[in-house]
Amino acid sequence: MKNQIEKIKNTAQKEILATKTLKDIENLRIKYLGKKGELTAILKQIGKFSDNEKPIIGQLVNEVRDFINYSIEAGIKEIKDSILEQKLNKEKIDVTLPGIYRSIGHKHPLNIVLDDVKEIFIGMGFDIVEGPEIENDYYNFEALNMPKYHPARDTQDTFYISENILLRTQTSCVQIRTMEKTQPPIRMISPGRVYRSDTIDATHSPLFNQIEGLVVDNGVTFSDLKGTLETFIQALYGLDSVVRFRPHHFPYTEPSAEVDVQCFGCHGKGCRLCKNEGWIEILGCGMVHPTVLKNCGIDSEIYSGFAFGVGLERIAMRRYNIDDMRLFYENDVRFLNQF
Ligand code: DAH
C-alpha cells in the first residue's frame, strides 16, 4: 500500500510538471484530490487495514495530498507568470513616441471682458445679481417709469411673447427686482443678455449683453456716480483715459447722463474709429428717479441712488479694436483663437 501511495505521488508530480495550461492542471486536481480521485479511493479502503496500519496509512495519504496540493498551486502560479510574461513581451511600449495633445478650450472674448468688469466692481464692494431674460412688461418698462404708450418704449423694439410677457430689452429690470427684495444699502451689478428686434449689422444684434449697475443708500449723490464710473473706466481702459459726462434723458433717472471716453485712436482729434467725433459713448447713467424708488417701496425722502447701464459688446469692441460685433456670435475659431 505504501508503494502504491508513493507511486501516486511520483506520477502526480511528473504530470503536474508537464502541464502547460490552467485547464489541464485543474483536471489533475480532480484526478488526484477530487471526490472520485485516486487518493480518496485509498482512504475509502482504509477499513481493510489493521488498527496499527490505519494511522500510518492515513498520515501518509494526508502528506501526499498536501504535497500534491502544494505542487498544483505552484504549477498554477508558474503558468500564470508565463502567460503574463508572454503578454508583456508582445506589448512593447515605445516611450519615445510623441504624446497626443488635446486642444483645450478657452474663454470667449466677451467673457474675458465681463470677468474683468465683475472684478473691478467686486473690488468696489458690489454684489453680482441675476435676473430673468423673459420678463413682465411691468419690470421691463412700467416700474421703470415707462408706462404704456410712453415714447421711450419705441427706442427699444421689443420681442413680445404675449401682451404682458416679453424678452427683456435691457437689464434695468433687475434694478426693480433687487429694490423690491432688498432694503438699502444696495450696491450691485447685473450682467446678462438682452433682446431687441433689430436687424443684424456691424453694430446691432437682436441679442446682446448689458451690465446694469445700481447703488442706493443714504445720501448718495451725483459725485458718487461720477467717481464710481470714472474709477471703473480707468480700471478698464487705463489711468490715462479721459472721460466726459454729457446730459441725456432716461425715464428712470433724473438727472441722466451719457458717458463718453476720448477716442483711443485719435485722442480726441477725430478718426474712423470714433466716426470723427473724437469721443466714444460707452454707457448711460443717472440718479434713480424718485418714482422708481417709490415703485419699489423705498422712501425717496430718506434714500437716493444712482444707476448705469453698459453694453458689454461695445466695451469689448473698444478694447480689442473690433469693428464688427457679429464676430462675437459666429464662433469662428480663427477669430476666437486670437484671445
Ligand atoms: N437701459 C439703458 C439702455 O438700455 C441703459 C441705462 C441707462 C441703464 C441709464 C441705466 C441708466 O440704469 O441709469 O440703453
Side-chain angles (χ1 to χ4, degrees), residues 156 169-172 175 196 208 210-213 250 252-253 256-257 283-287 306-310:
Q156 304 188 356
T169 60
Q170 49 187 354
T171 42
S172 303
Q175 286 186 28
R196 290 185 197 174
F208 58 102
Q210 283 189 336
I211 303 152
E212 194 73 14
F250 297 103
Y252 31 93
T253 44
S256 307
L283 60 84
C285 59
M287 300 305 292
F306 67 81
F308 54 92
V310 197

Side-chain angles (χ1 to χ4, degrees), residues 138 140-147 150 152 176 249-254 289-292 295:
Y138 175 77
N140 196 79
F141 291 126
E142 195 100 25
L144 286 160
N145 212 13
M146 279 190 268
H150 191 287
I176 306 297
H249 174 263
F250 297 103
Y252 31 93
T253 44
E254 181 57 38
H289 198 290
T291 308
V292 175
N295 288 342

Side-chain angles (χ1 to χ4, degrees), residues 190-222:
S190 181
R193 295 188 192 103
V194 299
Y195 303 82
R196 290 185 197 174
S197 93
D198 280 330
T199 314
I200 191 157
D201 64 24
T203 52
H204 295 88
S205 158
L207 181 163
F208 58 102
N209 291 271
Q210 283 189 336
I211 303 152
E212 194 73 14
L214 174 72
V215 172
V216 186
D217 203 349
N218 262 320
V220 174
T221 65
F222 200 88

